[in-house]
Amino acid sequence: MLEMANLKVPIISIVIGEGSSGGALALGVGNKVFMLENAIYSILSPEGYASILWKDSTRAKEAAEKMKLTAKDLYELKVIDKIIKEPSGEIEESFLKTSKSLKSEIEKSIKEMKLMTQDEIIEQRYQKFRNMGEYQTISK
């Protein structure tokens, strides 16, 4: 991830299904991170989380809710930059619409990042990573 963070070229990451584990961490280093609206993205599976937290993998559904691994949750936490809508209907037609939307976002991002210097690309990636999530200060 450190090596990837210092690359002097733009990185566009796309979560299309289930992104998890170390690979998911690496995806987060992108200048832009897109996610299909029905995909999930986390550093650990809900079963693994439930096993660690409660010693009970059957609580995976409860764990998934706490993990905030949906596209909507991750967009709100600034982990991803864009949710790509997945229309319902015929599989082939839905695939074509989703592909078209994804292509449009990729092209827009490339056009935007072409105007950036190498230093700006690295700095943007750094700032994006630093602004992810949320935290609370606990006063005593």
Side-chain angles (χ1 to χ4, degrees):
M1 286 176 44
L2 181 60
E3 189 74 28
M4 193 170 162
N6 288 311
L7 292 175
K8 296 179 181 186
V9 296
I11 298 169
I12 301 173
S13 300
I14 306 165
V15 181
I16 61 170
E18 183 177 337
S20 63
S21 196
L25 286 173
L27 289 175
V29 182
N31 293 79
K32 298 284 183 178
V33 180
F34 303 141
M35 186 171 169
L36 297 186
E37 77 179 314
N38 295 310
I40 60 170
Y41 176 44
S42 66
I43 59 161
L44 183 63
S45 71
E47 294 80 11
Y49 182 92
S51 291
I52 292 168
L53 193 61
W54 300 300
K55 308 279 188 258
D56 182 0
S57 65
T58 63
R59 293 177 70 181
K61 184 174 171 46
E62 183 181 354
E65 291 169 8
K66 291 187 176 299
M67 292 173 71
K68 306 282 187 199
L69 45 67
T70 67
K72 183 179 179 283
D73 291 331
L74 295 168
Y75 182 77
E76 290 171 3
L77 291 168
K78 299 179 186 166
V79 173
I80 65 168
D81 300 292
K82 183 82 176 180
I83 299 172
I84 306 297
K85 297 284 182 199
E86 294 182 82
S88 58
E90 293 292 320
I91 293 173
E92 188 172 337
E93 184 181 326
S94 295
F95 176 77
L96 291 173
K97 286 181 181 176
T98 302
S99 298
K100 216 176 207 180
S101 296
L102 191 51
K103 179 181 178 184
S104 173
E105 289 301 325
I106 292 168
E107 288 174 339
K108 190 183 337 175
S109 294
I110 290 172
K111 187 175 182 179
E112 174 188 306
M113 290 187 281
K114 268 186 169 180
L115 303 174
M116 299 168 71
T117 66
Q118 291 178 339
D119 289 339
E120 289 170 333
I121 289 167
I122 293 169
E123 181 63 20
Q124 182 214 38
R125 192 179 303 131
Y126 174 77
Q127 290 303 324
K128 180 182 179 302
F129 200 76
R130 297 274 302 154
N131 290 313
M132 284 182 187
E134 55 186 47
Y135 63 92
Q136 296 176 349
T137 305
I138 300 171
S139 9
K140 293 185 177 189

